[in-house]
Amino acid sequence: MNTHTFHQKVIDLISNWKIKELCEEHFGEPFVWEVKGTSQLSKTYTAKNEYFEQALNRLGQHLQPGASISVIDSYSVDTTLILELEGNMTTLSGQPYHNQYCWIVKTENNKITSITAYLDTLLLEQIIGGKS
């Protein structure tokens, strides 16, 4: 699969909220996911299991089923995929959770080697911290 085709597959998985499949099947080893920001949730995950358990599963425990994320725009240049994303989610308490994201995705040999994520980590912290 060429790089452009792989990048499109990544976009399709994200658009269909198949983040678990993205993690399990397409994250390389080694893998780094860096969440930029200044809150306690801003950190660097150095393994896919660490990211999945400490971030994605943790967020999922606070959301109603039916979460979605839209790809607003994407740019694919060589082995880098840049995504502008918008989440449409609702917490278990009924509070809307609409965050905006910019992900810089680095790929190599049809695997994701790193993601740098820019988002409102304070908003995320309010959701995960149980504050409504």
Side-chain angles (χ1 to χ4, degrees):
M1 173 181 326
N2 68 38
T3 301
H4 177 76
T5 303
F6 179 67
H7 285 178
Q8 188 58 53
K9 181 174 183 121
V10 169
I11 291 168
D12 292 344
L13 289 170
I14 293 168
S15 296
N16 291 299
W17 194 245
K18 293 186 177 181
I19 306 301
K20 184 175 181 178
E21 181 180 337
L22 183 73
C23 294
E24 291 176 346
E25 296 181 19
H26 301 290
F27 285 5
E29 291 290 343
F31 171 80
V32 175
W33 186 300
E34 183 178 7
V35 178
K36 295 287 193 174
T38 57
S39 80
Q40 66 180 353
L41 298 173
S42 303
K43 67 178 281 186
T44 300
Y45 301 92
T46 57
K48 58 185 172 183
N49 288 342
E50 178 187 24
Y51 167 74
F52 193 75
E53 291 169 14
Q54 293 182 19
L56 196 59
N57 279 350
R58 190 170 168 198
L59 175 60
Q61 293 172 359
H62 298 276
L63 298 176
Q64 293 180 10
S68 68
I69 196 161
S70 299
V71 177
I72 304 303
D73 214 343
S74 64
Y75 304 91
S76 179
V77 180
D78 297 323
T79 59
T80 301
L81 175 63
I82 301 170
L83 300 170
E84 180 184 359
L85 307 165
E86 190 170 273
N88 183 18
M89 304 165 199
T90 305
T91 67
L92 293 176
S93 66
Q95 177 186 2
Y97 171 59
H98 303 297
N99 212 333
Q100 296 174 325
Y101 312 85
C102 177
W103 288 359
I104 300 171
V105 182
K106 302 284 186 169
T107 63
E108 185 176 313
N109 299 322
N110 295 325
K111 292 288 183 182
I112 298 170
T113 56
S114 72
I115 297 177
T116 303
Y118 296 87
L119 62 140
D120 183 346
T121 57
L122 184 56
L123 177 60
L124 177 62
E125 191 174 281
Q126 290 171 345
I127 300 303
I128 289 181
K131 298 175 186 169
S132 299

